[in-house]
Amino acid sequence: METHDYLALEDRYAAHNYAPLDVVLHRAEGVYVFDIEGRRYLDCLAAYSAVNQGHQHPRIVEALRKQAATLALTSRAFRNDRFGPFCKKLSELLGYAKVLMMNTGAEAVETAIKAARKWGYEIKGIPRDQALILVFDGNFHGRTTTIIGFSTDEDARRDFGPFTPGFPVLPYGDLREVEAFFEKEAHRIAAVFLEPIQGEAGVIPPPPEFLPGLRRLCDQHQALLICDEIQSGLGRAGELLAHHAFGVRADGVTIGKALSGGLYPVSAFLADQEVMQVFTPGTHGSTFGGNPLACAVAEAALDVLVDEDLCARSKELGEHFRMGLLALDSPKIQEVRGLGLWIGLQLEDHAGPARPYCEALKNRGILAKDTHGHTIRFAPPLIIEKSEIDEALLKIGEVLR
Ligand SMILES: *Cc1c(COP(=O)(O)O)cnc(C)c1O
């Protein structure tokens, strides 16, 4: 079969809920993916940062292989010998007392929402069913009906209602508006929930005073600050947790994606005991959450992150990539933003939409993703070499010209 045969099968038999680039991948290694005709591409999306450690990292593959042949799933009705040690490692690495493991990112977000609400009622004393969780426009937190209910992306929401109440949406980056909202409703606010850098919106960092300001408001009014680090965390932004770059510590975080290095869906919600104590037996769970295969894979993925110093690499090489893009000095570039190896290249309006640029990059052996019309996102695996970035910059320059 050739590329067009695979496209035809997808078209005929798969739901059309994505519009992928027309490249059919078969194999991957490190920063490269290969299509069915054997053409090689530099992966500048890294599966939305699930593959920060690089494709088929040998240490993670080996952990997967070994654990798959030993014990894969027990359910939490019984205990397994990978769960406790993994929770200890994750808790110590990220600095939160407790871990609650799930599978996909959206499930970790649902867990954070449930924790915040229950904490609001049981600890803060919010009257039943009155709790609010503040969120921000341009957010992306996943695809469940509750989560899309507070999305501001019309495609994500339209005709999926009615939605879960209790999620006021405020302008991202506007501390004044948040302050004003707290003045009116502080007694009902359980949490402020946000991406410390908005990913799907186009890699958008907030103004530097935003997160410290939210931290102060949450402290003043006894509310939780919870960061969704599913895409921004685990090295992508040059830190284990991106919100640390703004000098604050959140009361809870959601992580996923790179937690498994792309080999298995693993996610988690982390918080300190005051928050996590609201979960008692029977109040929350998941058949696959915390299974031994997930724990073994995620443990290896975290070891790779630490042993290969991927946060520092991300910081250093991200700077190099951004400087290189600016040095292209293209009249089509309006802005280059981001932190670490997480870059949003915003095109000028006159340059037209980003998608044809991504198609042209694909034809030159680079896979990148357009987002929200005029932004191209570059987020390669964090193991990328400087020389590979330089090669990519040459091709990006060509395409922009
Ligand atoms: C990808 C993502 C999610 C959802 O993760 P899934 O595994 O697709 O459910 C949630 N929040 C953020 C910030 C993400 O980037």
Side-chain angles (χ1 to χ4, degrees):
M1 297 210 302
E2 292 174 31
T3 295
H4 64 92
D5 301 311
Y6 290 96
L7 300 188
L9 283 178
E10 275 193 37
D11 190 53
R12 169 75 178 77
Y13 291 105
H16 291 189
N17 57 327
Y18 278 91
L21 291 183
D22 289 340
V23 55
V24 181
L25 301 174
H26 170 66
R27 179 171 83 78
E29 192 182 340
V31 296
Y32 294 108
V33 291
F34 300 84
D35 70 13
I36 48 157
E37 272 108 24
R39 279 183 295 260
R40 189 182 86 162
Y41 304 86
L42 178 67
D43 183 0
C44 279
L45 181 64
Y48 301 91
S49 297
V51 191
N52 285 356
Q53 295 88 338
H55 289 276
Q56 326 309 128
H57 194 292
R59 274 179 79 180
I60 312 174
V61 170
E62 186 49 29
L64 176 87
R65 202 193 305 275
K66 245 170 106 177
Q67 190 62 40
T70 308
L71 180 68
L73 184 62
T74 57
S75 84
R76 294 285 307 282
F78 313 115
R79 300 172 194 268
N80 75 72
D81 65 352
R82 303 305 304 240
F83 182 66
F86 173 69
C87 289
K88 174 174 191 284
K89 173 166 277 186
L90 186 57
S91 152
E92 288 176 356
L93 184 66
L94 297 188
Y96 290 94
K98 298 273 168 159
V99 172
L100 198 156
M101 287 188 72
M102 298 295 279
N103 313 285
T104 65
E107 291 172 311
V109 170
E110 290 280 351
T111 303
I113 290 168
K114 288 169 84 171
R117 283 180 163 184
K118 209 162 164 58
W119 175 90
Y121 300 124
E122 294 177 3
I123 309 293
K124 177 165 171 168
I126 298 173
R128 172 154 305 154
D129 290 345
Q130 295 296 304
L132 299 176
I133 296 177
L134 304 197
V135 296
F136 297 95
D137 60 6
N139 72 73
F140 182 87
H141 298 293
R143 298 293 195 167
T144 67
T145 42
T146 286
I147 294 170
I148 56 147
F150 57 84
S151 167
T152 52
D153 175 349
E154 261 312 296
D155 289 339
R157 297 167 50 85
R158 195 185 315 112
D159 292 337
F160 293 125
F163 298 121
T164 312
F167 298 94
V169 182
L170 298 177
Y172 184 67
D174 190 338
L175 200 55
R176 283 257 174 86
E177 289 274 340
V178 185
E179 235 156 22
F181 198 90
F182 264 97
E183 262 160 42
K184 281 190 317 212
E185 298 277 14
H187 62 291
R188 292 175 61 196
I189 300 174
V192 175
F193 179 59
L194 79 163
E195 304 160 80
I197 300 168
Q198 288 191 331
E200 295 311 295
V203 193
I204 305 180
E209 72 284 359
F210 191 53
L211 277 156
L214 295 179
R215 180 69 274 176
R216 183 173 42 76
L217 286 168
C218 287
D219 289 341
Q220 270 170 13
H221 299 286
Q222 199 195 1
L224 302 173
L225 177 65
I226 303 181
C227 284
D228 182 349
E229 294 270 7
I230 289 168
Q231 192 165 162
S232 58
L234 304 179
R236 177 50 60 190
E239 308 272 347
L240 272 176
L241 295 170
H243 72 274
H244 291 172
F246 301 93
V248 300
R249 179 182 184 269
D251 300 302
V253 292
T254 52
I255 53 171
K257 292 194 168 115
L259 182 54
S260 70
L263 277 135
Y264 197 80
V266 190
S267 68
F269 170 63
L270 286 91
D272 289 332
Q273 177 61 7
E274 180 189 310
V275 175
M276 209 62 101
Q277 65 168 349
V278 302
F279 290 119
T280 52
T283 53
H284 191 48
S286 159
T287 302
F288 279 81
N291 74 70
L293 188 55
C295 292
V297 168
E299 189 167 327
L302 289 181
D303 285 345
V304 168
L305 209 61
V306 171
D307 293 349
E308 300 188 15
D309 210 7
L310 294 184
C311 290
R313 269 191 90 84
S314 174
K315 205 177 262 183
E316 186 190 322
L317 293 174
E319 188 67 14
H320 180 71
F321 204 151
R322 261 193 305 284
M323 289 303 130
L325 287 170
L326 290 172
L328 295 176
D329 205 22
S330 166
K332 295 209 171 99
I333 297 180
Q334 185 184 91
E335 188 185 24
V336 176
R337 22 162 221 266
L339 271 176
L341 271 169
W342 202 22
I343 299 171
L345 187 159
Q346 176 96 32
L347 296 169
E348 291 283 2
D349 287 347
H350 65 72
R355 171 90 182 203
Y357 293 86
C358 292
E359 276 159 7
L361 283 170
K362 181 203 82 177
N363 295 335
R364 285 171 173 75
I366 294 182
L367 295 185
K369 172 78 171 72
D370 57 304
T371 176
H372 284 257
H374 288 266
T375 304
I376 309 174
R377 161 174 36 192
F378 294 105
L382 307 180
I383 58 163
I384 193 170
E385 299 288 341
K386 211 172 200 166
S387 58
E388 291 163 334
I389 292 175
D390 292 338
E391 219 171 293
L393 284 165
L394 282 177
K395 292 177 184 166
I396 295 164
E398 272 172 42
V399 165
L400 286 169
R401 277 194 299 278

